[in-house]
Amino acid sequence: MSAFSHPARPRAIANWLTVVAALIVLMVVVGGITRLTESGLSITEWKPVTGVLPPLSDAAWRAEFAKYQQIPEYQQLNRGMSLAAFKGIYFWEYLHRLLGRLIGMAFALPLLWFAWRRAIPSGYGWRLTGLFALGGLQGVIGWWMVTSGLTVRTDVSHFRLATHLLLALTILAAICWTAADLRALARDPGARPARLTMVGAVTFAILFVQLMFGAFVAGLNAGLVTDQWPLMNGHFFPADVLQVRPFFDALFNDPAMIHWVHRWWAWIAVAAFIVLARRARGAGDRPASLALHAAFGTQILLGIATVMTGVSIPVAAAHQLVGALVVVCVAWCAHSVGARR
């Protein structure tokens, strides 16, 4: 009998989803580097199919460069950039988009295979299809984000960047949760999907706020407003901001205020993580608890290091990587707390 002839293969599907989750984590890191290197506007067109291939001749490279030279980022910030320098920023945006296509294929083809072999457990087909649809929406939002920087602005909207990142991390958490449900089903055919408990929902909500302000920090280059910690340019709070703009305007648009919120909301997130980790350990999942503690502890140190190094690209990229792993660990702990038979 073929290995794929069994009517339901929850463990195989969980393993496949784990690979997709790893690709999404890689995608988040590459996306962070793309932002840190100011590479995101180097490709000014969205070609889902023909864009798979990069420029393959000198003429093609010069044509792409000519398109970039028409947008405000080049005209106001990068005028005089060489073709070699353009190829450098093009690489990161191209790699980011290529990974997006790879993830789409890595999800779609196995999904079709498992569906054809009737290997998807009852009740999971709609969930997997919904995750695939969210992945498609993510591609559309990515282009919507890029378009915000092609006409008037010299960068993308930080609100659209936050939408793009938050949806990616939401998909990541949902894939990890679904994989955990399927692993539980593989161990015990009587296992039911885990429920999202109150402590899990509150932790996710607090984490969502932290990630949103982290995206705002990236979008507005707010990490560069100071290289000090715990003070900001000699002060605990950037009170001078409120002398020139209203509170809510500053909260969502001022780099110094956004930096301050991201820096100190992190400790509210830490408190929520500790409570969730204790609940996971109480539910019998000590590895999940340890993983979450290790992830948020590392993330705090990387966040401080990112500020104090003046947003060093390797350190900031590591900060983005561990941020994605924090999302994975929160999903793991919340799932353990909500597991049921």
Side-chain angles (χ1 to χ4, degrees):
M1 180 181 292
S2 169
F4 286 90
S5 298
H6 195 278
R9 294 183 58 83
R11 189 177 301 280
I13 297 175
N15 291 339
W16 155 56
L17 291 178
T18 300
V19 172
V20 174
L23 288 173
I24 293 174
V25 171
L26 177 60
M27 178 82 161
V28 169
V29 175
V30 172
I33 296 174
T34 301
R35 175 58 192 163
L36 289 164
T37 55
E38 305 288 349
S39 303
L41 297 177
S42 58
I43 303 179
T44 59
E45 296 176 326
W46 189 34
K47 299 178 178 178
V49 178
T50 58
V52 172
L53 293 176
L56 298 176
S57 67
D58 185 66
W61 273 114
R62 292 189 181 280
E64 286 296 313
F65 191 26
K67 295 171 187 176
Y68 177 67
Q69 290 172 320
Q70 300 304 309
I71 69 172
E73 181 180 82
Y74 174 83
Q75 295 171 356
Q76 298 179 35
L77 301 179
N78 292 332
R79 184 174 292 277
M81 170 185 276
S82 67
L83 179 60
F86 171 71
K87 289 180 179 180
I89 63 172
Y90 188 99
F91 167 79
W92 288 110
E93 176 64 9
Y94 172 75
L95 180 60
H96 186 57
R97 296 191 187 194
L98 185 63
L99 274 172
R101 294 181 174 94
L102 175 62
I103 291 171
M105 296 295 289
F107 200 103
L109 295 181
L111 176 61
L112 290 173
W113 172 260
F114 284 122
W116 179 58
R117 300 304 297 241
R118 299 182 181 273
I120 300 175
S122 176
Y124 286 88
W126 66 268
R127 200 193 300 194
L128 295 173
T129 303
L131 289 171
F132 179 69
L134 286 176
L137 177 62
Q138 176 71 344
V140 174
I141 288 176
W143 176 241
W144 174 65
M145 176 189 70
V146 169
T147 58
S148 67
L150 296 180
T151 54
V152 178
R153 303 170 58 102
T154 59
D155 57 4
V156 300
S157 162
H158 61 291
F159 295 114
R160 297 190 187 189
L161 186 149
T163 303
H164 188 50
L165 177 62
L166 289 169
L167 181 56
L169 295 175
T170 298
I171 294 170
L172 175 62
I175 285 177
C176 291
W177 189 285
T178 301
D181 274 342
L182 288 163
R183 291 191 191 283
L185 186 63
R187 291 191 299 267
D188 177 7
R192 299 169 60 193
R195 61 187 178 88
L196 182 61
T197 63
M198 180 61 70
V199 67
V202 170
T203 304
F204 272 123
I206 291 171
L207 176 59
F208 183 91
V209 173
Q210 179 66 2
L211 294 170
M212 180 180 70
F213 275 93
F216 290 167
V217 168
L220 293 173
N221 295 321
L224 297 172
V225 300
T226 182
D227 61 359
Q228 299 175 5
W229 193 92
L231 300 181
M232 293 177 60
N233 300 321
H235 302 279
F236 173 73
F237 179 76
D240 57 321
V241 170
L242 300 180
Q243 298 174 10
V244 296
R245 61 198 314 171
F247 174 76
F248 283 105
D249 179 35
L251 183 63
F252 293 103
N253 294 290
D254 182 80
M257 180 66 78
I258 286 170
H259 182 130
W260 185 84
V261 172
H262 184 60
R263 154 182 308 209
W264 295 110
W265 186 264
W267 299 100
I268 297 175
V270 164
F273 296 156
I274 291 172
V275 172
L276 179 65
R278 288 178 63 86
R279 294 289 184 87
R281 183 167 182 167
D285 198 342
R286 187 169 180 267
S289 176
L290 292 174
L292 181 54
H293 276 91
F296 77 68
T298 303
Q299 182 70 339
I300 291 169
L301 295 176
L302 285 171
I304 296 170
T306 298
V307 170
M308 297 186 73
T309 59
V311 191
S312 160
I313 290 178
V315 177
H319 185 53
Q320 187 123 346
L321 166 63
V322 180
L325 296 180
V326 168
V327 172
V328 172
C329 292
V330 167
W332 183 5
C333 285
H335 185 276
S336 296
V337 173
R340 54 183 179 164
R341 289 178 60 85

